[in-house]
Amino acid sequence: MAAPALQRGGTDVPETNADTAREEAVEAALAKLDLDAKARLLAGQDMWSLPALPEIGLASLVMSDGPIGVRGVRWTADDPSVALPSPTALAATWDPALARRAGRLLAQEARRKGVHVLLAPTVNLHRSPLGGRHFEAYSEDPYLTGALGTGYVQGVQDGGVGTTVKHFVGNDAETERFTVDNRIAPRPLRELYLAPFEAIVRNAHPWGIMTAYNRVNGTTMTEHRYLVNEVLRGEWGFDGYNVSDWMAARSTKGDIEGGLDVAMPGPRTVYGEALAAAVRAGEVEESAVDAAVRNVLRLAARVGALEGAPAVVAEPPAALDGDALAREIARRGFVLVRNEGRALPLRGGTVALSGAAARDARVLGGGSAQVFPDHTVSPLDGLTAALPDGALTFHVGADPSEELAPADQGFTLRAVCRAADGTVLGEGTLPNGQVQWIGDDLPAGVTHEALASIEVIGSFTPRETGEHSFGTRGLGAFVLTVAGRTLFDGVQALGPETDPFEAFFGSPVERGRVPLTAGETVEVSLLHTLDKAFAAPLPAVMFSFVHLGPRRDPDELIAEAVEAARAADTAVVVVATTERVESEGFDRKDLALPGRQDDLVRAVAAANPNTVVVVNAGSPVEMPWREEVAAVLLSWFPGQEGGAALADVLTGAEEPGGRLPTTWPVALADVPVVDVTPADGELVYDEGVFIGYRAWDRAGAAPAYPFGHGLGYTTWTYDSLVVTPDSATVRLTNTGERTGREVVQIYLAPVADRVERPARWLAAFASVEAAAGESVEVTVELPRRAFEIWDEEKNAWTLVTGGYEVLAAHSLADARLTASLEI
């Protein structure tokens, strides 16, 4: 069979010699395979890889999470990963070139860990702020999401590593994510939810797509022939491989005919032997199997895993410094949303730091995006290093969590794995009390078949004197021992949870309290005996040894922070969400900060008018005190170097470079689109094309901080705007006293619109940098698509002619220049 025409984004392009050689190698390899081998290749052989086929020179293809760091095939602290800031932080940079550098670093990490394909980026939209996994996606805006995702994919593939753009499509919330049927009309489906995928396919040519768990308009995405075969492959020209989300593939015939190439994870999937049998029974055409195998072999050829096929990247790009890039992305993504009286940058003097998250920072979100960095820099660490001796004090003030959490600070732990007869099979180190072994994550020498029990064992040196609480999280039998005392010996049964991630990240259970003395080390142990009754739907061991320090009176903690703040020149309060608030597997219930953090901010601000609040959260939270403080800085989940980047920005060594990629409301009650809970299995997107700022404009409501908002440490004038139907040219001047960076945002607003559209929408953007007093000019393309709508009657994109206002803006709510344009 002849090789298919080579395409790039749906357009035929001249083939290079290497392209031709790869396609010839793919066809030659395919011709040598019998049905059983082909069917076997399409099924995961384990959690993260496809089988090798030595007879055709095919190595095993290895996949790995995730968006902010490469976990590798073993989720272990023994092989740490660089942890970059969360995707919302990367999106806040509004810089596709920086996203490309991030991708190159992740490709570098992937190659080091023997990984061929990264399971990222996540380009689902922030439809509702209650989406529990929004920290892992970019934005509420499809154009910004597509631009950042394009840069990210280009960067990873610059390094010779494949990407899988996910989750195709409509996986915009976590509630009932395995079964929910998202009812989305054709126009919003095209203009919003498919748009980032289309932009990335056309502009970055990704080597993979991951189809989602959910249904769209009645059809499970892994079986969605129309969206996968007709739109993704047909209209857009996607020629990569399509892999299921883990455990999403449910039908042999439905999946292969729906365009799904690979069913993960293995070894038991709907492909493999089941697929070969379906072909022999006449239920599936072998040509459909061949098409899927061809896509997998093409992926192998591109990443250098197929003999005789030249890899796309023969020599990887120059190595990047992971620590330095993580620090740069963090500070470039910090969004300064308020800065009254120029409270920032700090002018010297003393600083009173408070908030538990300042000491124990949350640098990444919960779920499959988690990795183990070899170090993290907390805000306390960063400011201690940056400020003069004696200038900084710290008080806890308030803790975002009053629940037990995985044992961390002061604990030195390892996991000992035993067989049923007590024989030690192997052991591994643990960075905290969380055991999260999926597939081959087990320590060397350990197998799921032989494993009967795991004992988390080690020591604990408390930081505080008092009564410490210990407990468990997870299902099954546990024996918990602290300082020679058995606190629990029993079984935890299944609660109401339906998602394995929700069960794992669910409520910890306190099992006992022990009085301990600061600095005095005690031995700890948690023995977990496996029980098939509590087995996960895939090979996995997931449980936690949890702890909570002495529970002091919350009012006393706040009072201590207030006294320190009153005596300092500047007060800095770090507030945060927790993994119980933002994680894969469940959606948020509200936008409130947990614990007494709001009370802490108000009390500190009352004591010191020069109060700066740092918000350590992956997505919007309510800030009822925002007008009572001098400055508010959003740090997102800032990655392993977050504390160092924070010190850079607070001290003025660097400028906060971020702009909001998502609207931040005053309160949840004000948000126009909220619902993430299906009714009778369906979630109706009845708001149509009006989500995010589009919905806010339609409702005539004002948020706390609009899309695109963000302040710097200098000022800018917008001097001129010249537009054509194809471009906008903006000239601007840095009128401040220091070098700065500005994100120029171009919005379109139709005049006397004859179709129902948002009041305005983002059409283009660009970053500029200039020294104090310097003028710069930037020209951005106005894409034709910005003037089009999806015509549901014609089933096609249609140009909407007429008058438009072109806005050159600092943010959605701060247009600096306007020009008229007739299309």
Side-chain angles (χ1 to χ4, degrees):
M1 183 176 177
L6 185 70
Q7 293 191 320
R8 292 292 187 270
T11 304
D12 291 338
V13 298
E15 293 190 20
T16 67
N17 291 336
D19 288 327
T20 301
R22 278 190 291 274
E23 291 301 316
E24 289 175 348
V26 165
E27 295 302 322
L30 177 61
K32 295 176 184 178
L33 296 177
D34 61 20
L35 175 61
D36 292 313
K38 289 187 287 190
R40 190 167 69 252
L41 178 60
L42 303 182
Q45 67 176 351
D46 52 31
M47 184 58 59
W48 302 113
S49 68
L50 299 182
L53 298 177
E55 63 269 29
I56 58 170
L58 176 67
S60 174
L61 283 165
V62 178
M63 300 167 241
S64 172
D65 287 321
I68 58 99
V70 183
R71 68 185 296 284
V73 295
R74 292 184 185 274
W75 209 337
T76 170
D78 294 332
D79 182 17
S81 308
V82 173
L84 297 179
S86 64
T88 44
L90 182 60
T93 70
W94 287 58
D95 191 343
L98 186 59
R100 188 166 190 163
R101 289 169 56 207
R104 287 188 173 186
L105 174 66
L106 293 173
Q108 177 179 306
E109 284 277 281
R111 295 174 79 109
R112 179 177 67 82
K113 290 175 175 273
V115 168
H116 300 103
V117 182
L118 196 59
L119 302 174
T122 301
V123 298
N124 302 111
L125 296 184
H126 296 178
R127 174 178 169 268
S128 162
L130 294 181
R133 202 176 179 181
H134 280 352
F135 61 86
E136 195 180 319
Y138 292 123
S139 170
E140 67 189 29
D141 183 78
Y143 181 79
L144 179 62
T145 296
L148 270 294
T150 292
Y152 182 102
V153 168
Q154 289 172 332
V156 174
Q157 294 181 178
D158 284 346
V161 173
T163 54
T164 49
V165 188
K166 63 184 188 183
H167 307 84
F168 189 76
V169 61
N171 184 186
D172 309 303
E174 295 294 280
T175 304
E176 298 180 24
R177 62 176 175 158
F178 293 104
T179 57
V180 62
D181 183 9
N182 294 321
R183 312 298 294 194
I184 313 173
R187 186 177 166 202
L189 184 60
R190 290 283 189 158
E191 294 184 19
L192 298 179
Y193 304 102
L194 287 171
F197 292 94
E198 180 182 7
I200 294 167
V201 168
R202 293 190 183 280
N203 299 321
H205 191 55
W207 300 344
I209 290 280
M210 180 188 290
T211 40
Y213 294 120
N214 55 278
R215 300 173 183 268
V216 171
N217 298 330
T219 304
T220 299
M221 277 310 307
T222 57
E223 303 174 34
H224 215 303
R225 278 183 278 185
Y226 171 67
L227 290 179
V228 173
N229 289 338
E230 295 184 35
V231 177
L232 174 64
R233 293 197 186 280
E235 291 181 27
W236 303 348
F238 173 69
D239 67 354
Y241 92 121
N242 173 16
V243 61
S244 71
D245 203 342
W246 267 226
M247 302 182 295
R250 303 177 181 98
S251 166
T252 301
K253 178 179 172 64
D255 287 332
I256 195 70
E257 293 181 350
L260 182 71
D261 298 325
V262 172
M264 290 297 288
R268 291 181 297 277
T269 80
V270 298
Y271 284 175
E273 293 179 2
L275 181 56
V279 173
R280 292 191 173 101
E283 299 169 0
V284 170
E285 295 291 334
E286 189 167 356
S287 60
V289 178
D290 287 346
V293 171
R294 184 176 287 112
N295 292 330
V296 174
L297 292 175
R298 185 177 296 117
L299 171 67
R302 286 169 169 163
V303 300
L306 180 64
E307 287 182 9
V312 170
V313 177
E315 291 292 331
L320 292 166
D321 182 325
D323 293 353
L325 185 56
R327 186 169 179 168
E328 179 184 353
I329 295 170
R331 64 172 173 78
R332 291 275 309 281
F334 289 165
V335 183
L336 183 61
V337 294
R338 179 178 174 84
N339 194 21
E340 293 301 301
R342 295 192 177 182
L344 291 178
L346 300 174
R347 302 186 187 92
T350 56
V351 175
L353 179 66
S354 61
R359 180 181 63 188
D360 304 319
R362 188 177 184 203
V363 301
L364 39 78
S368 59
Q370 288 187 328
V371 294
F372 298 124
D374 67 1
H375 67 275
T376 60
V377 183
S378 70
L380 178 57
D381 295 333
L383 286 170
T384 298
L387 298 177
D389 290 346
L392 181 70
T393 62
F394 170 73
H395 292 85
V396 170
D399 196 316
S401 176
E402 297 175 354
E403 292 185 329
L404 287 77
D408 190 1
Q409 299 294 331
F411 289 86
T412 300
L413 303 171
R414 68 185 190 279
V416 179
C417 301
R418 295 185 176 92
D421 64 1
T423 303
V424 175
L425 301 172
E427 64 177 71
T429 57
L430 294 174
N432 55 39
Q434 183 168 292
V435 176
Q436 189 170 332
W437 296 335
I438 303 175
D440 294 334
D441 290 344
L442 300 172
V446 182
T447 65
H448 285 282
E449 292 73 21
L451 182 61
S453 70
I454 306 98
E455 184 176 15
V456 175
I457 191 169
S459 63
F460 173 47
T461 305
R463 297 186 291 196
E464 299 168 288
T465 296
E467 198 171 50
H468 289 252
S469 300
F470 297 87
T472 62
R473 184 170 62 180
L475 305 176
F478 296 98
V479 179
L480 174 63
T481 304
V482 175
R485 291 174 49 188
T486 298
L487 302 183
F488 179 72
D489 185 347
V491 175
Q492 177 65 40
L494 180 67
E497 301 91 350
T498 58
D499 188 309
F501 274 106
E502 184 176 5
F504 175 63
F505 290 113
S507 298
V509 180
E510 182 177 311
R511 303 299 186 182
R513 300 184 182 185
V514 180
L516 300 174
T517 303
E520 294 186 7
T521 301
V522 296
E523 300 302 310
V524 297
S525 167
L526 177 64
L527 175 64
H528 177 47
T529 303
L530 300 180
D531 184 336
K532 291 183 180 178
F534 298 105
L538 70 167
V541 179
M542 302 171 72
F543 69 97
S544 295
F545 170 35
V546 295
H547 163 262
L548 181 64
R551 298 170 184 172
R552 294 184 54 204
D553 183 289
D555 292 326
E556 289 183 7
L557 292 176
I558 291 174
E560 289 176 356
V562 167
E563 286 307 305
R566 185 175 287 114
D569 295 303
T570 303
V572 176
V573 185
V574 181
V575 297
T577 58
T578 69
E579 68 174 22
R580 293 294 311 282
V581 175
E582 294 184 88
S583 174
E584 178 177 355
F586 54 87
D587 289 314
R588 300 167 70 181
K589 301 296 189 290
D590 56 48
L591 302 183
L593 287 168
R596 295 282 303 278
Q597 295 182 103
D598 286 337
D599 293 339
L600 171 65
V601 173
R602 284 193 165 115
V604 168
N608 188 329
N610 200 33
T611 293
V612 176
V613 181
V614 178
V615 182
N616 181 195
S619 48
V621 297
E622 293 174 353
M623 298 181 287
W625 34 258
R626 68 192 186 284
E627 294 183 354
E628 301 170 30
V629 301
V632 179
L633 181 71
L634 311 182
S635 69
W636 313 104
F637 296 145
Q640 66 181 47
E641 304 297 324
L646 180 63
D648 290 340
V649 168
L650 293 184
T651 62
E654 301 286 354
E655 186 180 40
R659 304 292 184 266
L660 286 180
T662 289
T663 306
W664 279 52
V666 174
L668 180 61
D670 302 329
V671 178
V673 180
V674 174
D675 192 21
V676 294
T677 303
D680 299 323
E682 292 187 354
L683 183 62
V684 181
Y685 287 37
D686 54 10
E687 69 280 351
V689 297
F690 297 94
I691 68 168
Y693 63 83
R694 295 164 167 83
W696 284 91
D697 275 350
R698 188 188 200 195
Y705 300 109
F707 178 82
H709 175 64
L711 307 173
Y713 289 160
T714 188
T715 55
W716 297 84
T717 59
Y718 282 54
D719 305 323
S720 64
L721 169 64
V722 178
V723 300
T724 72
D726 301 315
S727 67
T729 300
V730 181
R731 184 174 180 82
L732 59 168
T733 301
N734 180 350
T735 55
E737 299 175 352
R738 57 179 289 164
T739 297
R741 191 180 187 92
E742 173 75 341
V743 177
V744 179
Q745 303 165 38
I746 304 296
Y747 296 91
L748 296 182
V751 178
D753 210 0
R754 54 190 174 83
V755 296
E756 186 181 38
R757 283 189 292 180
R760 50 195 168 167
W761 57 89
L762 181 69
F765 64 90
S767 295
V768 297
E769 187 171 321
E774 183 182 3
S775 296
V776 289
E777 189 173 273
V778 62
T779 298
V780 294
E781 176 190 358
L782 294 179
R784 177 184 170 91
R785 179 62 57 81
F787 299 95
E788 294 179 327
I789 65 164
W790 181 259
D791 189 316
E792 293 183 351
E793 292 185 4
K794 296 179 180 178
N795 199 37
W797 289 102
T798 300
L799 183 70
V800 182
T801 57
Y804 291 84
E805 293 294 320
V806 182
L807 313 174
H810 174 77
S811 76
L812 181 78
D814 186 7
R816 301 291 179 86
L817 294 171
T818 303
S820 297
L821 181 65
E822 192 73 23
I823 296 294

